[in-house]
Amino acid sequence: MKFQDLPGIRMINGLLWMIILAGTAIWIVANSLAPTSMKTVVDEKITLSILRSRPMLFLVTRQIRTQIVIDHCESNWIGQWRGVLWANVTISHGVDVNEIKANDIRREGEVVFVRIPEPRLLSFSVEPGSIGFMSKATAAPKLQDLLDGGGHRRQLENRLHDQTMAFAKEHDMLPNRSQIVEQLNESAADLAKIAGVRIRFE
């Protein structure tokens, strides 16, 4: 009886394979006919708003790129937290030529005197992707930070500009007015060759 059942078993196995193959074919056809339902759809919109635009003419006398690390520790009766934030920043320091007025320029004989304005910070930027932050806190300050949406990190990020400027001043990275005048007058000879006129900065 077992040998007589073999053809029937083979027939059942063949039907099963036909069903599997037919199901696979149907899935492939359905996938090709409806590709959007089988793939991730990404809808991205970028909006650019121009808040302010004005012509700028800067005389950059010093550009500094440095890494700033802020190590902050704070404690009170509810607990203690410590945060360390670091970032690569670039600052440009110099003179805004647009601030030179007509009465800042005078001519005496063959020499043109130009009084430059006070030097200041012209630009401050943080290198994208360079900001890092680590923190450690006891239970209450940690909970407060979570409820505030990352207030500890935001607090240190808000101090980044002031800490950078303090660091730059402390290490004499920002030339003062007299240093800039001296630097410009050293290059005045080259300017005279280009402009055909003797220039003296003051």
Side-chain angles (χ1 to χ4, degrees):
M1 293 294 297
K2 293 183 179 180
F3 290 101
Q4 293 177 355
D5 290 337
L6 285 177
I9 294 173
R10 290 174 181 172
M11 182 179 297
I12 292 172
N13 287 338
L15 288 173
L16 289 175
W17 276 109
M18 288 181 63
I19 292 171
I20 293 172
L21 292 174
T24 303
I26 291 172
W27 183 87
I28 293 174
V29 172
N31 186 30
S32 62
L33 292 177
T36 55
S37 63
M38 307 299 291
K39 297 180 181 179
T40 301
V41 178
V42 178
D43 185 10
E44 183 177 73
K45 294 180 181 179
I46 299 175
T47 302
L48 174 65
S49 298
I50 298 176
L51 302 179
R52 185 178 181 185
S53 176
R54 66 183 181 93
M56 304 173 72
L57 183 58
F58 290 156
L59 178 59
V60 178
T61 60
R62 188 68 56 86
Q63 188 175 73
I64 303 164
R65 182 179 180 273
T66 185
Q67 184 181 70
I68 298 296
V69 179
I70 301 176
D71 190 340
H72 179 87
C73 186
E74 188 173 313
S75 61
N76 53 33
W77 64 273
I78 66 171
Q80 181 180 12
W81 71 273
R82 179 184 180 184
V84 180
L85 183 136
W86 62 92
N88 296 337
V89 300
T90 300
I91 60 176
S92 297
H93 180 80
V95 173
D96 186 350
V97 180
N98 288 321
E99 295 178 357
I100 298 177
K101 309 301 180 184
N103 56 3
D104 293 324
I105 303 173
R106 73 181 192 278
R107 182 164 186 163
E108 296 181 4
E110 298 181 352
V111 182
V112 175
F113 291 87
V114 180
R115 180 175 179 78
I116 65 171
E118 289 296 326
R120 60 182 178 83
L121 177 69
L122 300 176
S123 67
F124 175 91
S125 61
V126 179
E127 182 179 315
S130 70
I131 297 182
F133 178 73
M134 293 190 305
S135 68
K136 183 178 181 180
T138 54
K142 182 178 292 186
L143 178 60
Q144 185 179 13
D145 181 55
L146 291 173
L147 295 175
D148 194 28
H152 292 168
R153 173 169 180 160
R154 189 164 57 252
Q155 179 179 335
L156 298 189
E157 287 180 347
N158 290 337
R159 297 180 57 195
L160 191 58
H161 175 274
D162 292 340
Q163 291 296 323
T164 300
M165 297 306 298
F167 175 83
K169 291 177 181 178
E170 181 181 350
H171 292 80
D172 295 324
M173 295 180 175
L174 306 177
N176 57 35
R177 193 172 181 282
S178 61
Q179 291 173 323
I180 292 179
V181 167
E182 182 180 357
Q183 178 184 343
L184 291 175
N185 283 328
E186 289 177 355
S187 305
D190 295 331
L191 291 173
K193 294 177 183 178
I194 297 173
V197 113
R198 292 176 58 191
I199 302 175
R200 184 75 181 174
F201 296 94
E202 56 183 11

